[in-house]
Amino acid sequence: MKLTSKLLIPATFLTCGSLSGATINSTGSDGFGVSSFNSGGIWGGTAPTAGNDYVVGAGHRMRTPSDGGSYTFAGDSLTISDASPSGDLVGLSYKGTGTTGIITVNNLILDNGSINHISGAGDVMNLDGSITVASDSLMYAKQGSINILADISGSATITNPGADGAGRILSFSSTSSTFSGSLVNNGNFLLSDDAVFNFLIGASGINNSMSGSGSTVVDGDFILDLGGASSSPGDSWDLASGASFGSTFTVSGFADNGDDTWSSGLYSFDESTGLLTVVPEPSAALLGGLGLLTLLRRRSR
């Protein structure tokens, strides 16, 4: 008689925290002094591993390690989802120390999520990897600065709700981001030198923008996609009214006119207003002026 053996797998091996290729959902929030960034705390007891996707659920919080070291999230992706039930300070919360440590998430997805700083005023969250803004989300430099080193993609809105003081700055530093959504800054924001911010220009008045009640400083570069832009004289787009532009600011592909304006063909950007406008071609303006002069001469006869 042929004997058939059966391998019995304990049920504990089938928990969501141990499956490869699984989506692992958070079961709660990290408490004070605890981080599930590299431990099993809110992940069913098993630390994040390659091959799995991780989701910080609605109203839950995952803290970063509370020291000055650099850490890389081990999972294939990390999604920070709906923060709205519990306000701004859930999702991914920075609790590190110092200014040199780097938190890396190679596939960070913000789906109405929140990245926030709840450590000391002198501690800087340096966040590297890649970020996809799948729906309107928060980057809240509340108690200290957040320096986004990561490439950002997506077309939803990023909001910085405010800051506890002038030194708490949200900054974008990537030179290769493709993000084409809007930024609403009610705190402090810096587009660092050589960093890029992309604008998708449509019909007059249709575009993404930088706005908000906070301090917005632009030292980096604007990239304007004019492929779908209207071109009637007088058409205009508010890109960044209220922003301050530094000496290293440029508009990619535009000529610097030396008077805080930039031009390319029919289009002109003015740093003093933050507006992009369509201006008549010189030949059209000249012909219009000659026509008016001729009309005035005829009337004077």
Side-chain angles (χ1 to χ4, degrees):
M1 181 175 68
K2 184 177 180 180
L3 297 177
T4 302
S5 63
K6 294 183 179 180
L7 177 63
L8 298 179
I9 303 176
T12 53
F13 286 2
L14 298 178
T15 61
C16 63
S18 61
L19 291 174
S20 178
T23 296
I24 314 299
N25 293 289
S26 61
T27 59
S29 295
D30 283 335
F32 183 78
V34 177
S35 171
S36 297
F37 191 85
N38 56 353
S39 72
I42 63 173
W43 308 120
T46 302
T49 58
N52 293 330
D53 299 303
Y54 294 82
V55 179
V56 177
H60 291 172
R61 167 190 279 169
M62 182 177 72
R63 298 171 183 251
T64 66
S66 57
D67 58 42
S70 294
Y71 296 90
T72 298
F73 188 74
D76 282 6
S77 70
L78 174 63
T79 297
I80 309 298
S81 62
D82 190 4
S84 57
S86 300
D88 304 333
L89 299 178
V90 293
L92 178 60
S93 295
Y94 178 70
K95 285 297 293 181
T97 59
T99 61
T100 59
I102 298 175
I103 300 297
T104 301
V105 183
N106 288 314
N107 185 10
L108 177 59
I109 301 165
L110 295 179
D111 187 8
N112 191 24
S114 172
I115 298 169
N116 50 82
H117 189 301
I118 56 171
S119 198
D123 302 315
V124 177
M125 181 184 194
N126 296 301
L127 181 59
D128 208 348
S130 70
I131 300 173
T132 300
V133 185
S135 63
D136 295 353
S137 296
L138 307 178
M139 294 184 181
Y140 192 2
K142 183 181 188 296
Q143 294 178 198
S145 293
I146 299 177
N147 181 19
I148 304 295
L149 304 169
D151 291 344
I152 308 173
S153 62
S155 57
T157 296
I158 296 171
T159 298
N160 179 19
D164 288 354
R168 288 81 165 174
I169 301 170
L170 171 65
S171 61
F172 291 175
S173 298
S174 173
T175 61
S176 53
S177 286
T178 60
F179 177 71
S180 59
S182 290
L183 171 74
V184 179
N185 172 46
N186 296 322
N188 305 297
F189 175 78
L190 170 66
L191 185 68
S192 300
D193 184 18
D194 291 330
V196 298
F197 198 97
N198 303 276
F199 293 90
L200 187 60
I201 310 300
S204 183
I206 305 301
N207 58 280
N208 58 307
S209 65
M210 290 180 171
S211 64
S213 60
S215 169
T216 297
V217 177
V218 180
D219 288 338
D221 309 324
F222 282 179
I223 298 176
L224 311 186
D225 183 347
L226 299 171
S230 58
S231 57
S232 299
D235 285 355
S236 67
W237 300 265
D238 184 347
L239 303 188
S241 59
S244 299
F245 295 87
S247 61
T248 58
F249 167 73
T250 67
V251 181
S252 180
F254 278 51
D256 183 357
N257 298 320
D259 58 356
D260 293 335
T261 65
W262 301 77
S263 59
S264 176
L266 297 173
Y267 300 93
S268 176
F269 178 76
D270 190 336
E271 294 179 29
S272 67
T273 62
L275 296 180
L276 175 72
T277 57
V278 174
V279 295
E281 292 184 274
S283 57
L286 179 60
L287 288 174
L290 290 174
L292 178 60
L293 180 60
T294 301
L295 179 61
L296 291 174
R297 284 179 175 176
R298 286 178 177 175
R299 288 182 175 179
S300 64
R301 290 177 180 176

